[in-house]
Amino acid sequence: MLRRAVEIARERIGLTRVAVFLRDEPCGVMRGTWGTDLEGATVDEHYITYDISPGDREFYERAARNGVYWTVVDDAPLVVHLPAETRVVGRGWCAAHRSDPHGTARMMFNDAD
């Protein structure tokens, strides 16, 4: 389902690059699912895990304070995950969504200007 969401974001919405991460609050990490590489091909990103940063926490808390289940931040770092490194390749917007105040949180990054 999440792979298809990435494909729909590219095909129907017209995003250039997209990645979907799920928040694993008990472990304090964001877990990769599916995304696109620098050429726009859909790639498996299940191997990517990163710590939830204070900025990520603020992202979700701001949405909760505003009584909404999503928020968007401009000028977020956009990265590419390579076999031996993760590299910042630009800046763009990032959207976060959760299904309800205590539900699954998702984060979507877009590299398009």
Side-chain angles (χ1 to χ4, degrees), residues 2 20-33 50-62 64 96-98 100-107:
L2 293 174
V20 177
F21 284 78
L22 300 178
R23 187 166 86 167
D24 182 345
E25 186 64 43
C27 294
V29 298
M30 296 294 289
R31 298 199 184 273
T33 63
Y50 70 89
D51 291 335
I52 298 173
S53 70
D56 292 340
R57 288 191 191 288
E58 172 57 25
F59 203 52
Y60 289 107
E61 290 167 4
R62 182 176 354 146
H97 174 268
R98 51 187 316 149
D100 61 70
H102 304 289
T104 301
R106 295 166 288 278
M107 189 172 285

Side-chain angles (χ1 to χ4, degrees), residues 14-113:
L15 300 181
T16 303
R17 288 191 62 225
V18 63
V20 177
F21 284 78
L22 300 178
R23 187 166 86 167
D24 182 345
E25 186 64 43
C27 294
V29 298
M30 296 294 289
R31 298 199 184 273
T33 63
W34 296 93
T36 54
D37 62 17
L38 287 175
E39 289 75 39
T42 301
V43 294
D44 185 338
E45 296 187 334
H46 286 84
Y47 66 93
I48 302 167
T49 300
Y50 70 89
D51 291 335
I52 298 173
S53 70
D56 292 340
R57 288 191 191 288
E58 172 57 25
F59 203 52
Y60 289 107
E61 290 167 4
R62 182 176 354 146
R65 281 194 309 271
N66 292 330
V68 297
Y69 297 121
W70 60 272
T71 189
V72 175
V73 171
D74 287 320
D75 200 33
L78 304 170
V79 301
V80 62
H81 302 283
L82 304 170
E85 69 176 317
T86 296
R87 189 174 15 153
V88 175
V89 294
R91 301 194 74 78
W93 62 263
C94 177
H97 174 268
R98 51 187 316 149
S99 55
D100 61 70
H102 304 289
T104 301
R106 295 166 288 278
M107 189 172 285
M108 182 174 76
F109 299 90
N110 180 48
D111 291 35
D113 293 328

